[in-house]
Amino acid sequence: MRQLRAGLTLLVVLPPLEIVASEISSILNTGLSEEALAILMQLCEAGVNPEALAAVVKELRQDPIDVALSE
């Protein structure tokens, strides 16, 4: 809350983190679905290194056929 003049108080309500992340993802044109973004956020919250996740996403996007064939 912020205190304004004359004793008025402004209540600042922040949107949920998922909404903010979705907006940022959209602005940056990441192409991530809502589901993929939610999964990545959960992994980060669980302690997975975000840079490692970004590297995996980049690798999967480069050539998904090669990744599927190597399994």
Side-chain angles (χ1 to χ4, degrees):
M1 283 191 244
R2 281 181 56 192
Q3 194 68 27
L4 302 176
R5 283 189 245 162
L8 297 174
T9 302
L10 175 66
L11 176 62
V12 178
V13 179
L14 297 176
L17 185 57
E18 292 82 10
I19 294 173
V20 173
S22 177
E23 297 273 332
I24 292 171
S25 177
S26 177
I27 290 169
L28 295 175
N29 196 25
T30 64
L32 293 171
S33 67
E34 296 286 330
E35 182 182 13
L37 189 58
I39 290 168
L40 292 170
M41 289 178 59
Q42 290 172 357
L43 287 168
C44 287
E45 290 172 358
V48 176
N49 182 337
E51 291 179 11
L53 286 174
V56 169
V57 170
K58 284 181 183 179
E59 186 174 331
L60 290 173
R61 286 186 171 179
Q62 283 179 358
D63 203 350
I65 294 172
D66 285 346
V67 172
L69 292 176
S70 67
E71 292 178 350

